[in-house]
Amino acid sequence: MLRVSRQPGGLPEIFHSLQGEGPTIGTATVFLRLATCNLACTWCDTKYTWDWDHYRYDDEVISLETASVRDSILAFGCPHLVITGGEPLLQQTHLTGLVADLKARGFYFEVETNGTLVPVPELARDIDQWNVSPKLENSGNPLDRRVLPQVLESFRQLPGAYFKFVVVEPRDVEEVCAMRDKYKLPTERIVLLPEGTTVDQVQRRSQWVSEACVKEGFRFSTRLHILLWGDQRGR
Ligand code: SF4
């Protein structure tokens, strides 16, 4: 069974759209959003996946057999899947069979993760791209929960892992540079993206974030889904 987020109408949050950020931005893909998270970022835009003080679990989560999830994914006819959350690796042992099944059908996989859990070997083998998003001080999570050196090292060794940082203020870039140096994160696999849930916020921050990327040799990513659709669920 997988605990999947629900869309506002109650259907599972399995939908077809464009990848909104990171190295494959703009790619048509199916999204599978899994519920629950082990962090609590102040600016999280998917709090309905984990914040049970403000959302009702039964309204927001549906438990589904993996075969049913697989059939919903296949129905879109798009062999590119982004597994996101919440923190999808909290359910990774339940994901391995689904991923192996779809891999045999030629799927390309991305996983969005907060970089606090080491992938099990079956997923490390089958996932093509890891969008690892270690959280900075601006997330409000304690350091010992948001930065786990041995987990970052595991991802550093996976060639398909990118390190995606959400930056709010210019000083966040200094924190990213310090992490790059301390944990030897490859510069060419670091992606900065501006925090923001409105077009105005994203555009304002894009100016200095893009300049920082030029200076440091990082990749820049906008938040395409915000620019196209605003802060809408299921898009
Ligand atoms: S790790 Fe991701 S899903 Fe979890 S609280 Fe932070 S932004 Fe939200």
XYZ file of all heavy atoms in Angstrom, residues 95-174:
641
model
N 7.758 1.353 -2.570
C 7.874 1.897 -3.934
C 8.672 0.993 -4.862
O 8.567 1.106 -6.085
C 8.605 3.249 -3.880
C 7.793 4.498 -3.607
C 8.745 5.690 -3.436
C 6.801 4.776 -4.739
N 9.491 0.106 -4.281
C 10.449 -0.625 -5.121
C 9.756 -1.476 -6.191
O 10.198 -1.503 -7.344
C 11.369 -1.515 -4.261
O 10.540 -2.339 -3.436
C 12.281 -0.691 -3.375
N 8.671 -2.158 -5.823
C 7.973 -3.011 -6.785
C 7.353 -2.188 -7.908
O 7.444 -2.553 -9.093
N 6.743 -1.071 -7.551
C 6.121 -0.193 -8.546
C 7.168 0.331 -9.534
O 6.975 0.309 -10.753
C 5.443 0.989 -7.825
C 4.889 2.091 -8.711
C 3.657 1.611 -9.467
C 4.541 3.326 -7.881
N 8.298 0.771 -8.975
C 9.349 1.333 -9.821
C 9.929 0.250 -10.744
O 10.130 0.484 -11.945
C 10.447 1.996 -8.949
C 11.683 2.326 -9.771
C 9.887 3.266 -8.291
N 10.170 -0.941 -10.208
C 10.729 -2.024 -11.037
C 9.761 -2.379 -12.170
O 10.171 -2.602 -13.324
C 11.023 -3.243 -10.174
N 8.478 -2.422 -11.864
C 7.446 -2.740 -12.863
C 7.461 -1.694 -13.994
O 7.512 -2.030 -15.192
C 6.084 -2.753 -12.144
C 4.941 -3.147 -13.051
O 5.048 -2.951 -14.277
O 3.908 -3.636 -12.534
N 7.463 -0.414 -13.604
C 7.426 0.648 -14.615
C 8.765 0.772 -15.350
O 8.799 1.142 -16.529
C 7.038 1.976 -13.970
C 5.607 2.036 -13.404
C 5.366 3.352 -12.673
C 4.563 1.853 -14.508
N 9.844 0.456 -14.655
C 11.167 0.501 -15.304
C 11.196 -0.499 -16.469
O 11.724 -0.206 -17.543
C 12.250 0.136 -14.286
C 13.658 0.389 -14.754
C 14.022 1.828 -14.528
C 15.401 2.149 -15.063
N 15.683 3.590 -14.975
N 10.603 -1.655 -16.252
C 10.563 -2.684 -17.298
C 9.731 -2.217 -18.492
O 9.855 -2.767 -19.592
C 9.985 -3.974 -16.724
N 8.895 -1.202 -18.293
C 8.094 -0.644 -19.384
C 8.753 0.596 -19.983
O 8.121 1.338 -20.736
C 6.693 -0.272 -18.873
C 5.910 -1.460 -18.312
C 4.684 -0.963 -17.567
N 4.096 -2.005 -16.752
C 2.984 -2.695 -17.058
N 2.348 -2.438 -18.183
N 2.524 -3.614 -16.249
N 10.000 0.857 -19.584
C 10.766 1.927 -20.213
C 10.628 3.296 -19.567
O 11.012 4.309 -20.168
N 10.147 3.355 -18.343
C 9.969 4.653 -17.688
C 11.291 5.304 -17.301
O 12.286 4.618 -16.999
C 9.125 4.492 -16.412
C 7.656 4.744 -16.624
C 6.908 3.896 -17.427
C 7.025 5.823 -16.025
C 5.560 4.109 -17.630
C 5.683 6.054 -16.222
C 4.940 5.199 -17.029
N 11.299 6.644 -17.292
C 12.370 7.461 -16.714
C 11.836 7.981 -15.388
O 10.709 8.468 -15.329
C 12.711 8.630 -17.651
C 13.845 9.504 -17.170
C 15.155 9.260 -17.571
C 13.607 10.582 -16.307
C 16.204 10.067 -17.140
C 14.656 11.388 -15.869
C 15.939 11.125 -16.299
O 16.981 11.923 -15.866
N 12.653 7.891 -14.341
C 12.181 8.271 -13.007
C 12.978 9.408 -12.401
O 14.211 9.401 -12.453
C 12.323 7.095 -12.027
C 11.454 5.932 -12.348
C 11.943 4.871 -13.085
C 10.141 5.901 -11.929
C 11.141 3.795 -13.386
C 9.337 4.830 -12.227
C 9.831 3.774 -12.963
N 12.236 10.314 -11.788
C 12.856 11.311 -10.918
C 12.222 11.173 -9.538
O 11.029 10.897 -9.434
C 12.561 12.737 -11.404
C 13.053 13.045 -12.794
C 12.776 14.496 -13.182
O 12.928 15.401 -12.344
O 12.389 14.708 -14.350
N 13.026 11.380 -8.511
C 12.493 11.429 -7.144
C 12.893 12.759 -6.523
O 14.058 13.166 -6.608
C 13.020 10.260 -6.287
C 12.635 10.450 -4.814
C 12.478 8.928 -6.792
N 11.912 13.436 -5.947
C 12.175 14.673 -5.202
C 12.310 14.279 -3.735
O 11.383 13.699 -3.155
C 10.985 15.647 -5.346
C 10.559 15.939 -6.769
C 11.390 17.016 -7.441
O 12.118 17.739 -6.728
O 11.323 17.119 -8.679
N 13.462 14.558 -3.138
C 13.672 14.151 -1.741
C 14.384 15.257 -0.975
O 15.109 16.067 -1.567
C 14.487 12.834 -1.685
O 14.708 12.488 -0.322
C 15.808 12.932 -2.419
N 14.179 15.259 0.347
C 14.819 16.312 1.147
C 16.234 15.939 1.608
O 16.856 16.681 2.373
C 13.926 16.704 2.333
C 13.639 15.538 3.278
O 14.411 14.599 3.382
N 12.515 15.617 3.984
N 16.738 14.804 1.178
C 18.140 14.457 1.441
C 18.422 14.022 2.865
O 19.559 14.142 3.335
N 17.421 13.479 3.547
C 17.649 13.008 4.922
C 17.526 11.487 5.050
O 17.684 10.958 6.138
C 16.651 13.659 5.900
O 15.319 13.297 5.513
C 16.803 15.176 5.925
N 17.242 10.806 3.945
C 17.076 9.347 3.980
C 17.873 8.725 2.837
O 17.767 9.175 1.688
C 15.590 8.984 3.822
C 14.662 9.476 4.954
C 13.213 9.471 4.499
C 14.827 8.618 6.189
N 18.638 7.690 3.160
C 19.444 7.001 2.133
C 18.531 6.088 1.322
O 17.745 5.323 1.906
C 20.552 6.161 2.808
C 21.324 5.350 1.770
C 21.506 7.052 3.581
N 18.601 6.133 -0.012
C 17.754 5.233 -0.803
C 18.171 3.775 -0.649
O 19.361 3.479 -0.548
C 17.956 5.694 -2.249
C 18.993 6.731 -2.237
C 19.416 7.024 -0.829
N 17.165 2.881 -0.640
C 17.482 1.451 -0.609
C 18.118 1.068 -1.957
O 17.897 1.760 -2.970
C 16.220 0.589 -0.344
C 15.674 0.865 1.042
C 15.152 0.789 -1.406
N 18.929 -0.009 -1.985
C 19.678 -0.355 -3.208
C 18.795 -0.492 -4.456
O 19.191 -0.078 -5.551
C 20.352 -1.677 -2.861
C 20.465 -1.666 -1.368
C 19.275 -0.911 -0.858
N 17.594 -1.066 -4.309
C 16.729 -1.255 -5.495
C 16.367 0.086 -6.120
O 16.324 0.218 -7.351
C 15.434 -1.984 -5.112
C 15.631 -3.382 -4.575
C 15.734 -3.413 -3.060
O 16.387 -2.524 -2.479
O 15.148 -4.322 -2.463
N 16.125 1.092 -5.289
C 15.789 2.401 -5.858
C 17.042 3.094 -6.383
O 17.008 3.742 -7.437
C 15.108 3.285 -4.816
C 13.663 2.952 -4.459
C 13.074 4.047 -3.574
C 12.776 2.766 -5.677
N 18.142 2.951 -5.648
C 19.394 3.556 -6.124
C 19.725 3.037 -7.526
O 20.250 3.758 -8.373
C 20.525 3.247 -5.155
N 19.357 1.791 -7.790
C 19.617 1.164 -9.097
C 18.655 1.684 -10.164
O 19.054 1.972 -11.295
C 19.450 -0.353 -8.943
C 19.667 -1.169 -10.202
C 19.109 -2.571 -10.029
N 17.665 -2.564 -9.836
C 16.972 -3.504 -9.178
N 17.584 -4.524 -8.619
N 15.654 -3.423 -9.066
N 17.388 1.839 -9.817
C 16.360 2.090 -10.840
C 16.021 3.562 -11.078
O 15.491 3.905 -12.139
C 15.061 1.364 -10.453
C 15.174 -0.149 -10.685
O 16.128 -0.567 -11.363
O 14.309 -0.884 -10.191
N 16.262 4.415 -10.091
C 15.898 5.826 -10.263
C 16.952 6.518 -11.123
O 18.152 6.397 -10.880
C 15.757 6.526 -8.888
C 14.659 5.855 -8.058
C 15.506 8.025 -9.064
C 13.266 5.875 -8.650
N 16.498 7.231 -12.148
C 17.432 7.886 -13.067
C 17.964 9.194 -12.505
O 19.115 9.557 -12.728
C 16.716 8.188 -14.395
C 16.214 6.922 -15.043
O 17.026 6.218 -15.648
O 14.997 6.624 -14.911
N 17.098 9.916 -11.818
C 17.459 11.274 -11.399
C 16.916 11.548 -10.000
O 15.724 11.367 -9.732
C 16.864 12.268 -12.399
C 17.203 13.704 -12.119
C 16.566 14.621 -13.153
O 16.513 14.303 -14.348
N 16.071 15.745 -12.710
N 17.815 11.984 -9.133
C 17.432 12.355 -7.762
C 17.501 13.870 -7.665
O 18.559 14.457 -7.918
C 18.388 11.727 -6.755
C 18.379 10.231 -6.759
C 19.178 9.410 -7.507
C 17.524 9.379 -5.992
N 18.867 8.099 -7.245
C 17.864 8.048 -6.315
C 16.514 9.605 -5.057
C 17.228 6.955 -5.752
C 15.884 8.523 -4.480
C 16.235 7.211 -4.819
N 16.403 14.485 -7.302
C 16.398 15.924 -7.068
C 16.438 16.103 -5.551
O 15.408 16.103 -4.887
C 15.158 16.562 -7.686
C 15.074 16.280 -9.180
O 16.081 16.298 -9.882
N 13.884 15.984 -9.673
N 17.667 16.168 -5.048
C 17.878 16.199 -3.597
C 17.835 17.652 -3.140
O 18.587 18.483 -3.645
C 19.255 15.583 -3.245
C 19.444 15.525 -1.738
C 19.402 14.214 -3.874
N 16.959 17.947 -2.213
C 16.778 19.339 -1.798
C 17.085 19.489 -0.304
O 16.166 19.519 0.529
C 15.337 19.754 -2.116
O 15.158 21.112 -1.828
N 18.398 19.572 0.032
C 18.741 19.748 1.448
C 18.191 21.089 1.932
O 18.217 22.077 1.198
C 20.277 19.764 1.450
C 20.695 19.260 0.102
C 19.584 19.620 -0.824
N 17.702 21.107 3.144
C 17.070 22.330 3.639
C 18.074 23.230 4.338
O 18.947 22.764 5.080
C 15.919 21.978 4.599
C 14.833 21.162 3.912
C 14.308 21.842 2.655
C 13.272 21.013 1.915
N 13.615 20.688 0.547
N 17.930 24.522 4.103
C 18.801 25.527 4.698
C 18.174 26.023 5.996
O 17.049 25.655 6.356
C 18.983 26.690 3.708
C 19.607 26.323 2.351
C 19.613 27.530 1.422
C 21.022 25.780 2.540
N 18.903 26.919 6.668
C 18.406 27.497 7.926
C 17.039 28.162 7.718
O 16.187 28.145 8.593
C 19.432 28.507 8.425
C 19.260 28.870 9.874
C 20.321 29.873 10.328
O 21.414 29.903 9.730
O 20.014 30.622 11.265
N 16.834 28.738 6.502
C 15.571 29.451 6.229
C 14.337 28.545 6.318
O 13.214 29.028 6.360
C 15.630 30.151 4.861
C 15.681 29.185 3.681
O 15.094 28.107 3.712
N 16.393 29.575 2.625
N 14.553 27.215 6.370
C 13.407 26.290 6.422
C 12.823 26.181 7.827
O 11.713 25.673 8.005
C 13.835 24.897 5.963
O 14.717 24.313 6.911
N 13.618 26.604 8.840
C 13.137 26.516 10.217
C 13.327 25.159 10.860
O 12.955 24.963 12.013
N 13.922 24.200 10.147
C 14.183 22.876 10.734
C 15.512 22.897 11.492
O 16.461 23.546 11.050
C 14.293 21.812 9.633
C 13.010 21.613 8.878
O 12.054 21.040 9.394
N 12.971 22.105 7.639
N 15.616 22.176 12.635
C 16.904 22.117 13.329
C 17.986 21.483 12.447
O 17.681 20.584 11.651
C 16.627 21.230 14.554
C 15.182 20.926 14.555
C 14.574 21.360 13.278
N 19.212 21.952 12.626
C 20.334 21.500 11.784
C 20.491 19.974 11.788
O 20.688 19.360 10.744
C 21.633 22.166 12.272
C 22.903 21.783 11.511
C 22.845 22.264 10.060
C 24.135 22.366 12.209
N 20.374 19.366 12.973
C 20.629 17.927 13.043
C 19.523 17.100 12.398
O 19.668 15.887 12.202
C 20.862 17.468 14.490
C 19.654 17.726 15.378
O 18.732 18.452 14.950
O 19.623 17.190 16.502
N 18.412 17.731 12.046
C 17.359 16.996 11.334
C 17.417 17.254 9.830
O 16.983 16.416 9.036
C 15.981 17.397 11.874
C 15.774 16.877 13.302
C 14.350 16.982 13.728
N 13.457 16.295 12.833
C 12.172 16.607 12.677
N 11.650 17.606 13.369
N 11.422 15.934 11.844
N 17.926 18.432 9.448
C 17.865 18.779 8.021
C 19.152 18.453 7.261
O 19.116 18.305 6.037
C 17.492 20.251 7.843
C 18.471 21.237 8.413
C 17.980 22.676 8.234
N 18.748 23.617 9.004
C 19.919 24.119 8.649
N 20.472 23.784 7.507
N 20.546 24.977 9.440
N 20.301 18.353 7.966
C 21.557 18.040 7.275
C 22.160 16.782 7.900
O 22.598 16.792 9.046
C 22.563 19.209 7.377
C 23.875 18.833 6.694
C 21.988 20.470 6.741
N 22.156 15.711 7.122
C 22.733 14.445 7.593
C 23.898 14.090 6.657
O 23.676 13.624 5.526
C 21.673 13.328 7.607
C 20.731 13.436 8.825
C 19.526 14.281 8.506
C 20.322 12.076 9.305
N 25.127 14.353 7.120
C 26.295 14.214 6.239
C 26.386 12.874 5.522
O 26.715 12.818 4.339
C 27.480 14.423 7.197
C 26.922 15.287 8.293
C 25.491 14.850 8.457
N 26.079 11.779 6.231
C 26.237 10.469 5.579
C 25.208 10.276 4.463
O 25.466 9.570 3.481
C 26.175 9.310 6.606
C 24.824 9.010 7.203
C 24.421 9.960 8.339
O 24.994 11.037 8.508
N 23.416 9.570 9.100
N 24.056 10.924 4.585
C 23.041 10.822 3.524
C 23.489 11.658 2.318
O 23.396 11.206 1.162
C 21.660 11.292 4.033
C 20.621 11.156 2.929
C 21.242 10.499 5.262
N 23.997 12.858 2.587
C 24.492 13.686 1.472
C 25.609 12.964 0.736
O 25.693 13.014 -0.494
C 24.980 15.040 2.005
C 23.898 15.961 2.562
C 24.509 17.257 3.081
C 22.832 16.264 1.509
N 26.459 12.278 1.490
C 27.558 11.544 0.862
C 27.015 10.429 -0.041
O 27.506 10.217 -1.149
C 28.481 10.974 1.948
C 29.600 10.083 1.433
C 30.521 10.763 0.424
O 30.567 12.005 0.375
O 31.184 10.029 -0.351
N 25.965 9.736 0.415
C 25.367 8.676 -0.417
C 24.874 9.244 -1.739
O 25.092 8.670 -2.807
C 24.168 8.035 0.285
O 24.557 7.442 1.462
N 24.198 10.390 -1.665
C 23.678 10.991 -2.904
C 24.819 11.542 -3.774
O 24.754 11.481 -5.003
C 22.658 12.080 -2.587
C 21.307 11.530 -2.233
C 20.782 11.668 -0.960
C 20.548 10.855 -3.182
C 19.535 11.145 -0.634
C 19.303 10.329 -2.871
C 18.795 10.479 -1.585
N 25.851 12.082 -3.127
C 26.978 12.628 -3.899
C 27.569 11.548 -4.804
O 28.025 11.820 -5.911
C 28.040 13.146 -2.930
C 29.124 13.991 -3.587
C 30.066 14.537 -2.538
N 30.928 13.511 -1.982
C 32.086 13.123 -2.517
N 32.510 13.687 -3.635
N 32.807 12.185 -1.956
N 27.505 10.315 -4.325
C 28.086 9.215 -5.101
C 27.170 8.710 -6.213
O 27.587 7.898 -7.030
C 28.446 8.071 -4.156
C 29.606 8.439 -3.259
C 30.012 7.303 -2.343
O 29.636 6.158 -2.559
N 30.763 7.621 -1.317
N 25.931 9.186 -6.230
C 25.026 8.789 -7.314
C 25.115 9.829 -8.433
O 24.765 10.992 -8.230
C 23.575 8.707 -6.805
C 23.252 7.586 -5.821
C 21.817 7.732 -5.309
C 23.439 6.225 -6.479
N 25.561 9.430 -9.636
C 25.765 10.430 -10.694
C 24.483 11.135 -11.115
O 24.523 12.252 -11.642
C 26.359 9.617 -11.851
C 26.151 8.179 -11.498
C 25.961 8.081 -10.027
N 23.328 10.515 -10.876
C 22.057 11.142 -11.259
C 21.473 12.030 -10.179
O 20.303 12.396 -10.271
N 22.272 12.376 -9.170
C 21.732 13.205 -8.084
C 22.111 14.669 -8.286
O 23.287 14.993 -8.494
C 22.258 12.714 -6.743
N 21.107 15.533 -8.237
C 21.302 16.985 -8.270
C 20.932 17.529 -6.902
O 20.037 16.992 -6.238
C 20.424 17.624 -9.352
C 20.870 17.252 -10.732
C 20.451 16.050 -11.308
C 21.733 18.063 -11.453
C 20.888 15.672 -12.573
C 22.165 17.705 -12.717
C 21.745 16.509 -13.268
O 22.185 16.140 -14.514
N 21.603 18.596 -6.491
C 21.340 19.188 -5.179
C 20.640 20.525 -5.403
O 21.241 21.462 -5.934
C 22.658 19.328 -4.406
C 23.286 17.995 -4.138
C 24.176 17.440 -5.055
C 22.935 17.261 -3.022
C 24.731 16.186 -4.847
C 23.470 16.003 -2.800
C 24.377 15.459 -3.713
N 19.388 20.559 -5.043
C 18.508 21.679 -5.388
C 18.213 22.471 -4.117
O 17.661 21.935 -3.163
C 17.225 21.060 -5.962
C 16.294 21.983 -6.636
C 15.145 21.202 -7.220
C 14.094 20.819 -6.208
N 12.899 20.216 -6.783
N 18.607 23.737 -4.112
C 18.423 24.547 -2.917
C 17.405 25.652 -3.185
O 17.530 26.400 -4.166
C 19.747 25.177 -2.499
C 20.765 24.181 -2.007
C 21.670 23.593 -2.894
C 20.818 23.827 -0.666
C 22.607 22.676 -2.442
C 21.749 22.905 -0.209
C 22.646 22.331 -1.100
N 16.449 25.756 -2.291
C 15.465 26.837 -2.354
C 16.031 28.005 -1.562
O 16.287 27.877 -0.364
C 14.120 26.393 -1.750
C 13.127 27.538 -1.746
C 13.564 25.199 -2.522
N 16.254 29.145 -2.239
C 16.860 30.280 -1.550
C 15.847 31.415 -1.403
O 15.053 31.693 -2.300
C 18.154 30.757 -2.254
C 19.256 29.729 -2.094
C 17.930 31.030 -3.715
N 15.896 32.040 -0.222
C 14.957 33.113 0.113
C 15.675 34.451 0.104
O 15.156 35.445 -0.411
C 14.323 32.859 1.509
C 13.351 33.976 1.876
C 13.616 31.508 1.546
N 16.887 34.476 0.669
C 17.648 35.719 0.780
C 19.061 35.493 0.271
O 19.553 34.348 0.281
C 17.744 36.142 2.241
C 16.412 36.482 2.871
C 16.611 36.886 4.320
O 17.582 37.610 4.613
O 15.813 36.447 5.148
N 19.755 36.584 -0.140
C 21.128 36.428 -0.656
C 22.054 35.678 0.296
O 22.917 34.917 -0.140
C 21.583 37.874 -0.874
C 20.309 38.605 -1.176
C 19.261 37.973 -0.312
N 21.858 35.816 1.613
C 22.776 35.117 2.532
C 22.622 33.592 2.437
O 23.513 32.842 2.833
C 22.573 35.591 3.966
C 21.273 35.148 4.571
C 21.198 35.431 6.051
N 19.907 34.977 6.530
C 19.212 35.565 7.474
N 19.676 36.627 8.064
N 18.044 35.079 7.837
N 21.486 33.121 1.895
C 21.296 31.676 1.715
C 22.324 31.107 0.743
O 22.713 29.938 0.844
C 19.894 31.364 1.187
C 18.807 31.757 2.166
O 19.120 31.911 3.366
O 17.656 31.909 1.727
N 22.726 31.935 -0.228
C 23.716 31.465 -1.215
C 25.044 31.172 -0.512
O 25.730 30.197 -0.833
C 23.899 32.499 -2.345
C 24.953 32.013 -3.345
C 22.571 32.771 -3.052
N 25.379 31.999 0.489
C 26.616 31.751 1.254
C 26.514 30.413 1.988
O 27.487 29.663 2.077
C 26.846 32.870 2.277
C 27.167 34.204 1.638
C 27.096 35.344 2.644
O 27.322 35.112 3.848
O 26.785 36.467 2.210
